[in-house]
Amino acid sequence: MATREEILQTFDPNEIGVDNGNLLGLPFDYESANIIVIGVPWEVTVSYRAGTAAAPRRILDASRQLDVYDFDYPDGWKQGIFMVEIDDQIQQKSQALRQDATRIIEQMEQGRRVEDDPDLVQVLHTLNQECQTVNQWLFDQTQAAMNQGKQVAVIGGDHSVPLGAIRAIADRYPDFGILHIDAHADLRDAYEGFEFSHASIMFNALKLPQLSKLVQVGIRDICHDEMTLIQSSNGRVSTYYDPMLKQKLYAGISWLEMCKQIVAELPQHVYISFDIDGLDPKLCPNTGTPVPGGLELEQTICLFREVVESGRQIVGFDVVEVGDGEWDGNVGARAVYKLCNLMGLSKRNQPV
């Protein structure tokens, strides 16, 4: 294969995005890229609408229609971005297990306990084991890439997906924070009995002692237990609720000023977890659990940009809950590419 230097001499970023299996049709492979993107088509525990398992493919297909020029980092593509081939076996297993998960959810929705059905108890045990297997797979993939000096991005799937990558980040950085964009707090303990539920991702992340700060933005759908957890976290969890953010905007406080306040709470190393339902649903109509309200895409980019402007380093990110729709894929692809460039820019700006 050609070296990255040879690729930079021959690739014309003004040409049409070719269908070569890589994001934006970029000409890099695993060896020549600095950023490795891993698609995880997994949505076993979704509690409302399915479809997010198709997101890695939707985002990949839509990305070829994007122009490569980026206003924050015009030459960002040169750092090398490579999307690993999507593992169809993961998606097939997800589809099969999703049917079992539906049985458990329906049991609970009818007011019956899973514990009263020995067959469902075994099914739940199997589902939790299979989710853990995917977590370990992603952990291994992420760690292997980081051991080669690469940065890693994850595309879900539902929001349970990135836990393995977050665990790998924790192994590498003894003190890091998560900037979490979402409509939901995702702080439920084993929601619906699923230890690795999409609604439990941040509850599970908080089990990592290396995670010193969780900053959540756009939250507008939350339960009492999650509020209690936030309020009793002694500042480890800081949540910026969407209604309160909007009220400040209506009072004339600028979004940029709020972004600076939010970012000031984060440590030096930042992992970004971007659930697309944190956006206004008009931008992600097919997401799994849409909620009225939310952010504009440019508002989130402004927030992410402020992380870089502050001198902090983005050490990894995920984009999850993108729905199975052409427009959703378009928005998701733009979020992924922007975050790739901002992550690379934040690394380049670090002192030697």
Side-chain angles (χ1 to χ4, degrees):
M1 287 295 294
T3 65
R4 193 157 67 90
E5 288 69 26
E6 291 170 336
I7 291 171
L8 296 180
Q9 292 174 4
T10 58
F11 178 71
D12 185 354
N14 301 294
E15 291 294 333
I16 187 173
V18 297
D19 186 4
N20 63 357
N22 195 19
L23 285 169
L24 286 85
L26 294 175
F28 303 97
D29 61 8
Y30 193 100
E31 295 304 318
S32 59
N34 284 325
I35 294 179
I36 303 300
V37 181
I38 304 172
V40 189
W42 186 261
E43 58 172 4
V44 171
T45 69
V46 292
S47 54
Y48 184 47
R49 263 190 333 208
T52 62
R57 178 66 59 189
R58 282 287 190 177
I59 288 172
L60 175 62
D61 291 345
S63 71
R64 295 195 303 275
Q65 303 305 316
L66 273 61
D67 283 316
V68 175
Y69 188 94
D70 183 273
F71 287 101
D72 291 293
Y73 196 3
D75 289 334
W77 68 271
K78 293 182 179 180
Q79 65 190 312
I81 301 169
F82 176 72
M83 184 171 177
V84 177
E85 184 177 358
I86 300 167
D87 192 331
D88 290 334
Q89 289 185 338
I90 290 179
Q91 186 162 0
Q92 291 167 7
K93 180 171 282 190
S94 175
Q95 290 172 343
L97 294 174
R98 174 69 193 144
Q99 297 176 26
D100 290 333
T102 299
R103 291 173 56 199
I104 291 173
I105 294 170
E106 289 176 349
Q107 174 90 347
M108 299 180 70
E109 287 179 343
Q110 292 169 9
R112 298 197 298 265
R113 298 184 341 132
V114 173
E115 295 85 347
D116 295 336
D117 186 329
D119 180 51
L120 287 183
V121 170
Q122 182 56 49
V123 168
L124 180 58
H125 177 70
T126 299
L127 287 171
N128 284 332
Q129 282 187 320
E130 292 291 349
C131 289
Q132 177 58 29
T133 298
V134 172
N135 292 337
Q136 186 62 47
W137 174 84
L138 183 57
F139 173 89
D140 293 340
Q141 295 284 319
T142 304
Q143 190 175 67
M146 291 196 302
N147 286 342
Q148 296 183 44
K150 301 178 187 297
Q151 295 176 292
V152 177
V154 175
I155 300 175
D158 71 34
H159 209 163
S160 70
V161 159
L163 185 59
I166 294 171
R167 286 173 173 171
I169 292 290
D171 267 14
R172 180 60 56 96
Y173 298 97
D175 177 24
F176 77 102
I178 293 179
L179 177 57
H180 173 208
I181 310 300
D182 207 320
H184 312 87
D186 289 348
L187 291 168
R188 293 174 178 263
D189 182 0
Y191 183 57
E192 296 177 327
F194 304 120
E195 181 180 358
F196 303 106
S197 168
H198 67 103
S200 303
I201 177 66
M202 293 306 157
F203 182 89
N204 290 325
L206 286 170
K207 296 176 183 177
L208 301 169
Q210 300 94 327
L211 175 57
S212 60
K213 188 77 177 188
L214 170 62
V215 178
Q216 305 180 298
V217 181
I219 311 303
R220 53 195 186 275
D221 212 8
I222 191 167
C223 75
H224 287 80
D225 283 347
E226 290 174 306
M227 287 294 293
T228 298
L229 189 154
I230 293 167
Q231 293 165 357
S232 63
S233 71
N234 295 318
R236 189 181 180 206
V237 182
S238 184
T239 305
Y240 290 82
Y241 304 99
D242 189 61
M244 286 67 170
L245 291 173
K246 297 286 174 51
Q247 194 70 18
K248 289 183 178 180
L249 283 173
Y250 304 152
I253 300 174
S254 75
W255 177 247
L256 182 58
E257 183 179 343
M258 283 189 271
C259 288
K260 291 179 183 295
Q261 177 187 347
I262 292 166
V263 169
E265 297 206 49
L266 291 162
Q268 177 62 26
H269 295 115
V270 179
Y271 179 92
I272 293 177
S273 190
F274 187 5
D275 186 328
I276 212 76
D277 71 25
L279 299 178
D280 186 310
K282 70 175 182 283
L283 296 168
C284 48
N286 295 293
T287 189
T289 46
V291 182
L295 306 172
E296 295 294 333
L297 182 59
E298 280 300 324
Q299 285 182 303
T300 66
I301 291 173
C302 178
L303 177 59
F304 300 154
R305 186 182 293 121
E306 191 56 35
V307 175
V308 180
E309 291 291 328
S310 72
R312 290 168 173 80
Q313 182 180 355
I314 301 171
V315 295
F317 74 84
D318 64 71
V319 175
V320 297
E321 304 276 359
V322 173
D324 185 8
E326 185 176 355
W327 176 241
D328 300 69
N330 185 310
V331 173
R334 294 175 189 279
V336 169
Y337 185 51
K338 173 60 73 173
L339 278 166
C340 281
N341 284 331
L342 290 177
M343 181 165 66
L345 186 61
S346 74
K347 183 178 180 180
R348 191 191 71 170
N349 291 345
Q350 298 304 303
V352 178

